[in-house]
Structure formats: C-alpha cells, structure tokens
Amino acid sequence: MSYVEAILNGLMVGGLYGLFGLGLALAFGIMRIVNIAHGEFVVLAAYLGVTLLAVTPLPLPVVVVVVAAAAFALGWALQATMLNRLLGPNPVPAMVVTMGLSIVLRNVLVELYGADIQSIDIGPLQNMGIGFAGLSIGLLPILIFIISVILFIGVNLLLTRTTIGRAFRAAADDHEILETLGFNRRRIYNAALGLAVALSAVAGLLLAMRSSFTPFSGVERLLIAFEVVIIGGLGSLRGCFLGGLFLGVVQVLGLKLYPNAGPLFGHLAFFIVLLVRQSNLGLFLAWGRK
Amino acid sequence: MVAVLDVADVSKRYGAKLVVDKVSLAVSTGECLGIIGPNGAGKTTLFNLLDGSAQSDSGTVNVAGEDISRWPQYRRARLGVGRAYQVPRPFTGLTVYENVLAGIEHSPVAGARPGRRALEVLEKVGLADKRNMIAGRLPLLDRKRLELAKAVSVGSKVLLLDEVAGGLTEGEVFELVEMVIQLKREHAVLWIEHIAHALMAAADRLLVLHFGAKLIEGAPQEVMSAPIVKEVYLGISVDDAAGA
C-alpha cells in the first residue's frame, strides 16, 4: 500500500469518523448535553444490524434504514423521558445519566451477545475494489465515504433550509428565548437527539461493515467522536467533517508506519492539536470554524 | 369593544416578596396601554406572567377569549402573544429573515406564504434590505428594529414592548413612536417605557405600577399630573415639592 493509498483510505474512514463527531456535536450544540452513551449507541446499532440481518430476510440497505429509524425513536424517547427533566445550567446531571445508560447498555449487550468479536458480513462487496492510476481502493470504503458525504450534505440542508433546522440553530443560539417565537423547546430537543442518535447509528453500522466490534467498543468510538469534535471545533459541520478526515488520515498513515500502533497516532495527533490550540497557533484549524 | 387581552387579579410571589400584586388590566386591538413605574415595580415580571416565561400564582390571563393562565410559553406565542425584550435578543446565528420567519411559521395568521409575510414585517421595521445579514452582526438600532419585528412576527394579537426606546437617539425614538402607532392598528399593544414623551405620544391610557400593584390607570395626561404619581415616581412628596 503506497502512501497515496494510505491517505485515500484515511480520508475514506475519516468521513465516517466525521459522522461519529456529528452525532455528538449536534447533541452538545443544540442541548448542551454531553452524551457519554454516544459510543454505546454506535455499538448498539451495529448489534441491531447484525441481529436484523441474521433473523430477517431484509437486505442490507433496508436494515440500515430500519436501524436509523429505531435509533431516531430511541433518541427521541431518551430525551423525552429522561434528559428533558434535567434541563438547566448544570450539564453534569445529563452526563451522569448518559454515563449510567452507557454502563447499562454495555452490560445488556454482553448479556445478550456475549463478549465475542462480531462483524457484519457484507458478502462479495467486501473484496471488490477499483483501480486507477496504479492505485487500488476498496469499493466498500468508497461507498461508505459517499454515504458519509451525503449525510453531511443532508444535515447541512436540513439545518439551513427547513423549519426544524432553523429551530435547531435557534435552540443552539439562545434556548431561553426559544419559546417566545413559538418553538416548542422540548419537542425540538427530542427531535435533535433523535437525529443525533440516528446519525451515530448509521455511522456505527457502516463501521461495523469495515471492522469488528465487541460490546466494549463503545468507549473507543466515543473517544474518536470527542477527538473529531474538538479538533474540528464545536458548532461547525465543516469542522466536524474536516476533523474526521484529519483523524482518519493520521490513523491510517500511522498504521502504515507501525502496524501495531495506528490508533496511537490518532490520539497523539489529537494531543498535538490541543497543545497547538492552547498556544494560539491553530490558524489552519480556525479555518474549519464558523 | 371586547378586549383581546384581559388580565384579572394576577399575582406573583418570589419567596417572601410579592412582585406582582393582583393586577388587572384589559387592552383591545387598536389600543396602546403604557405601563410606567419605578425600578423594581414589577413591570417586567408582569410581562413574564403574560407571555408565559413565568407562571402566575393566582389570577387569570385571557387572550382572545381563551384562558391561557396555565399555558406554556410557546403555546401563548403561537396564539399571538409577541414580546420585544428591553435588551434585544435576536437569534444571533440566524439571518435577520430567519429570525422573523420562525415566528411567522408558528403564527395562526401565517397563511400560505410565510416567506412573503416575513418580508412584509421586515419592511415595516425597515430591515428588508438587511434580511440576509446574520443577526449577530447588526448594529444596536437594527437590533432594536429586529426585536420589534420578532415580536410582530409571532404576536398577531398582543404585543408586549419592554423599553424598546431605551438607548435610542431623539430622532430614532420619534421613528419608533411612529412605528408603534402603526402597529397598534392591528394589535393590542402594552408598552413599558421610561421615556415619558414617547409613551405619551403613542399610549391611549397609562397604568402606573408601584410595589407590584396598580397605583392608578387612566388617560395619559391625567395620570401624569396626578399627585400620587409624582410622589412615587419622583420619590418626593407633593408637599415637600411645594415647599421647596
């Protein structure tokens, strides 16, 4: 694998990382909720996908849609029944609740599925690839990247062109005066967490097609999401996307250099970004912010 | 004339302090009720009870015949209660147009073309040419205009204006008064204001709040010349003033 291939592959997986970050960033940007259970939702979606593929005759694309819909409902219900009771200036109660939820989810998954490594079998697509200019790229990563880009564009259109999107942005701006214009704050929040969890779920399913997972993978996914969001800057779609690409490229390049230590390089890069930010030299990163 | 806004005996207590004390008032479409009173008299809290950002402990608030005393804020807004804050609070990340469109989409009089209606409202307050600006970048006067436009966008029935003239130059206050006079044709307007001549020009009646209670209500000239108003407002008794 040449370096060019590595960078391309990094970009492909980076689009997916961007999606992880997007789910987290939406929940934080709109509701100021740090969803600690974000990673578990990602893993839960993967298990749901595995189960649906095993016990129903549904084809993969339909399964993705079903899982996304179920995730939306789950996010909505979580916000409506629990998180809306914790609204206020203090972000800690919601963090504690989602942290508790993450522990519950993790253990339920272990109980149901065991701790074995799982993956989603996508059949012959797994080995298909396209070659050009002497490079060879897997078809699946390309497809996943395209889906990520489409979802980013979709969310951007949603935020800028629709009533609910304007409501999300207004809520992110100033929730105290939200209702003075007739916005129903709680319903907007329900929809926002629904969307955030649905996006995370799709990302989780897509990742499960590329790499394996266990009930304990949630923490790693959450870490990636946090890194993406912090690298890219909160509150910017473009930042999320670029942050994901950056992390993906660093990780895959790192894997190429030291096959045993790929994730380490991602985290190191994140660490360096934090240092650079701290010293106000992060000009190229500021570009990703609004 | 049937009052669009009919408030009966609303009270609000924060701890031991009675902030609004059995206030009753009624305002019809085409009317502007000016509200004055010393700082801490409960004027803004009264508005909070009307628009639903706080719930009253007792008393009723009726808008267009509906008892909305227990309604959440967003439902009151959708019914047609609009509010302009003293310090303008636009949604800073939305464009000027989007700020106004949001309220209109939630209004029962939105009609089939909320976008066109939003432009009409922006034209009324003179912001049509800045509609695509991000609201956070507006200068103060334009923020004040936008605040008014937001209130109008959702407040098809009742407009609550909280010191919207504060911080404006004389010329701008004059413009604002003209705007309010236009607005009251189609709305019931309540206007809290410290700038007396602005209020006198637009209000049909004045209501004075003092320690949360209604001190006096009546025609503007009458109220302003009432001895008791001079006493609470200027903080001196009429006798002292006469003796000085």
Side-chain angles (χ1 to χ4, degrees), chain A residues 33 79 82-98 186:
Chain A
I33 285 175
Q79 185 71 36
M82 285 190 240
L83 299 180
N84 272 346
R85 294 163 191 266
L86 306 170
L87 301 180
N90 186 351
V92 174
M95 284 176 82
V96 173
V97 164
T98 53
R186 283 157 194 273

Side-chain angles (χ1 to χ4, degrees), chain A residues 1-12 135 137 248-249 252-254 256:
Chain A
M1 187 167 73
S2 74
Y3 283 97
V4 179
E5 267 178 22
I7 290 172
L8 284 176
N9 276 317
L11 291 174
M12 303 288 159
L135 304 169
I137 304 287
V249 169
V252 175
L253 276 179
K256 179 167 170 55

Side-chain angles (χ1 to χ4, degrees), chain A residues 18-205:
Chain A
L19 272 189
F20 283 150
L22 185 56
L24 197 71
L26 281 176
F28 184 79
I30 296 169
M31 290 154 296
R32 297 288 180 264
I33 285 175
V34 180
N35 179 11
I36 305 287
H38 183 74
E40 271 66 31
F41 286 141
V42 167
V43 175
L44 180 68
Y47 275 102
L48 191 58
V50 167
T51 308
L52 283 176
L53 285 172
V55 302
T56 65
L58 297 174
L60 188 60
V62 178
V63 166
V64 173
V65 173
V66 170
V67 169
F72 183 88
L74 177 71
W76 181 293
L78 172 65
Q79 185 71 36
T81 59
M82 285 190 240
L83 299 180
N84 272 346
R85 294 163 191 266
L86 306 170
L87 301 180
N90 186 351
V92 174
M95 284 176 82
V96 173
V97 164
T98 53
M99 182 179 239
L101 192 68
S102 75
I103 296 170
V104 171
L105 281 175
R106 202 180 308 147
N107 287 291
V108 166
L109 287 176
V110 172
E111 195 62 35
L112 287 177
Y113 295 96
D116 297 339
I117 292 175
Q118 305 250 4
S119 64
I120 290 181
D121 183 16
I122 49 161
L125 189 61
Q126 184 79 61
N127 299 319
M128 283 189 216
I130 52 174
F132 61 93
L135 304 169
S136 147
I137 304 287
L139 193 57
L140 179 70
I142 293 176
L143 275 179
I144 289 176
F145 183 71
I146 291 172
I147 293 173
S148 304
V149 172
I150 289 173
L151 285 176
F152 263 97
I153 293 172
V155 170
N156 191 31
L157 288 176
L158 181 86
L159 286 177
T160 52
R161 302 283 166 84
T162 67
T163 304
I164 186 72
R166 278 192 291 276
F168 287 159
R169 284 159 57 213
D173 265 0
D174 190 344
H175 65 80
E176 283 177 17
I177 54 164
L178 199 54
E179 300 213 336
T180 60
L181 290 189
F183 290 117
N184 181 348
R185 186 179 173 197
R186 283 157 194 273
R187 278 198 52 188
I188 288 167
Y189 281 9
N190 297 346
L193 197 67
L195 176 66
V197 175
L199 287 168
S200 317
V202 172
L205 261 187

